[in-house]
Amino acid sequence: MSAPRLEIRLDRIHHNAKALVDRLALLEIGVIGVTKAALGLPEIARELVRAGVTGIGDSRIENIETMRRAGLPCEFTLIRSPMISQAERVVAHADVSHNTEIDVIERLSLCAQAQGRTHGVLLMVELGDLREGILPAQLPELVGRVLRLPHIAFRGIGTNLACQSGVSPDQANMEALSSLADSLEETFGVEVETVSGGNSANLGWALGTTDARRINALRLGEAILLGRDPLHRKAIEGLYTDAFGLVAEVIECKQKPTRPWGELGQTAFGPARERTDCGLISQAILALGRQDVDPDGLEAPDGMEVLGASSDHLVVDTGTSSLAIGSEVTFQLNYSALLRAMTSPFVTRAMSKGDGEAADRSLTSGGRAA
Ligand SMILES: *Cc1c(COP(=O)(O)O)cnc(C)c1O
C-alpha cells in the first residue's frame, strides 16, 4: 500500500457518532455531523447519517457538493457564512447556511428565486468569542429584514464559541442564546425552530446539564472524528480517539549524535529545537513532511519522539530500536494534523470497517463523565 496514507476506521467513527447522538438525545439535542476535517468524504458522512445525525454541516460548499453527488439522504448546512461570489452554488447545493450579513442573505434570496427554491438561513450570534456573529442588540433588526425576503426561510439562531478566543460554552452564554430565541418569538410571532449551541467544545456543558432549555442542536466534528473535547483536548469517555492513523515509510535510519555541529542559524521553518546531548541515538527519517501534515499535531508510537520536520522529511528519535528501511510507522493525529493530512494531495486514504475485535481495548474509559 502507498505511503503516506491515512487509515480510517469507519466503524469507530460510527461508534463515536452514535454514542454522542444517543447521549444528546436525552436532552432533546440533535447532532449536526461536521465533515470539514474529513474533506466531506461521503464514506464518513454516510456513517454519521447511519448513526442518526439530524444533518451534515460543512464549511466548504465544495465538500457539500461532493456529498450531494454521492446521494447522501440528509439535510446539508453550510456552516461558514457564504461568499457572495458562491451564492448560486450555495443555494443549489446547501439546504441551509449560517449567515451574519444582510448583503449575502439578499443575494441568496435572489438566487433562490431564480432557481425556484427556498433557502434556509440560520443567523449566527456573537456571544463573546469574537469570530462570526451578529451582536445580540442588532439581531431583531436583522431578523425583521430576513423575514421579509422572498425564498428565504428563517430557520433559527446559533452561536460559535471556543474557536477564536477560547471562550467556554457555559450556562450563562447558553441561557443568553435561549432567551434570544424566546424574545424573537415574542417580537415576531415566528417559530425559532433551530437553536444551535455550538461545536464539540459545548459537550462539557451539554453533558453536564439537565435542562438544555432552547438549545436543540450541536454541530460536532472533532468529538466524533477524534473522540476529544477541544476545550481541554481530553478524550471523551466511551469514544475512540484512534479512528484515524497516519502511516509513513522509513527512508533512512542511522545512529547519529543528538546535537548538530557547525555554526547555527535558523532552519527553513524557523529556529531549530535545542536538544540536550544524549550521545548517539537511533534517528529515522520518514517520508512525511509539512506538505502532508502539521507535524506538531502528530503523536508518535511509544518509544519514539518526533524531533522535527521540514517540507518532506520527518525526523524521529527511535530510541534504542532501529527501524528497517521501507518499514512503516503509524502516528495518531490531532485536529490540525488531520485537517492537513486530509487535504494534502500526497496522502492517500485506506478506509476499513475493522474486525470489531481489538476495538474495545482502545475505547476511552474512566476519566471525566462525558
Ligand atoms: C468547525 C465548526 C464546527 C465543528 O467544530 P468541532 O470543534 O470540530 O466540533 C461547528 N460549527 C462551526 C461554525 C464550525 O466552523
Side-chain angles (χ1 to χ4, degrees), residues 34 36 79 131-132 160 199-200 219-222 230 335:
V34 175
K36 68 183 181 219
I79 61 172
R131 204 179 73 175
E132 75 271 39
N160 195 65
N199 54 50
S200 295
R219 311 172 304 269
L220 304 181
E222 180 164 358
Y335 191 77

Side-chain angles (χ1 to χ4, degrees), residues 56 75 134 149 156-157 165 171 188 198-199 217 225 250-251 272 337:
I56 295 285
E75 184 171 275
I134 307 137
L149 288 172
I157 57 176
S165 312
Q171 199 54 40
F188 296 99
N199 54 50
L225 299 173
V250 177
I251 55 172

Side-chain angles (χ1 to χ4, degrees), residues 48-260:
L48 306 189
V49 172
R50 282 206 315 120
V53 300
T54 55
I56 295 285
D58 202 290
S59 49
R60 307 278 172 153
I61 193 62
E62 293 82 353
N63 290 349
I64 289 178
E65 287 168 357
T66 305
M67 292 183 278
R68 273 266 188 244
R69 274 197 300 274
L72 280 156
C74 68
E75 184 171 275
F76 287 100
T77 301
L78 183 68
I79 61 172
R80 184 174 71 181
S81 202
M83 288 185 249
I84 262 195
S85 59
Q86 290 188 330
E88 227 179 291
R89 286 170 80 175
V90 171
V91 165
H93 301 286
D95 303 289
V96 182
S97 58
H98 286 188
N99 284 276
T100 60
E101 294 287 350
I102 190 66
D103 290 358
V104 175
I105 305 168
E106 282 174 352
R107 183 67 66 86
L108 292 170
S109 172
L110 286 173
C111 294
Q113 192 158 22
Q115 294 177 27
R117 293 173 189 271
T118 298
H119 184 72
V121 160
L122 188 116
L123 296 176
M124 294 300 277
V125 183
E126 174 62 74
L127 290 179
D129 198 52
L130 300 179
R131 204 179 73 175
E132 75 271 39
I134 307 137
L135 289 168
Q138 287 153 11
L139 183 62
E141 199 221 318
L142 183 62
V143 170
R145 294 179 72 173
V146 168
L147 289 173
R148 285 196 293 275
L149 288 172
H151 296 264
I152 292 293
F154 171 61
R155 292 286 294 267
I157 57 176
T159 196
N160 195 65
L161 298 170
C163 272
Q164 169 72 11
S165 312
V167 170
S168 302
D170 59 20
Q171 199 54 40
N173 46 41
M174 289 300 102
E175 175 53 34
L177 194 63
S178 289
S179 31
L180 281 171
D182 290 341
S183 76
L184 289 176
E185 289 184 346
E186 216 163 285
T187 309
F188 296 99
V190 290
E191 189 199 355
V192 179
E193 185 187 316
T194 306
V195 183
S196 187
N199 54 50
S200 295
N202 279 61
L203 283 171
W205 164 79
L207 298 173
T209 189
T210 47
D211 179 7
R213 268 264 283 148
R214 297 295 308 267
I215 310 298
N216 59 10
L218 287 182
R219 311 172 304 269
L220 304 181
E222 180 164 358
I224 294 175
L225 299 173
L226 295 175
R228 286 185 192 276
D229 160 5
L231 263 193
H232 309 288
R233 287 270 131 67
K234 262 187 142 159
I236 301 169
E237 195 185 342
L239 302 196
Y240 292 105
T241 57
D242 57 356
F244 294 85
L246 182 63
V247 181
E249 184 175 320
V250 177
I251 55 172
E252 180 185 301
C253 188
K254 298 191 186 306
Q255 297 278 313
K256 292 197 182 182
T258 353
R259 289 178 59 83

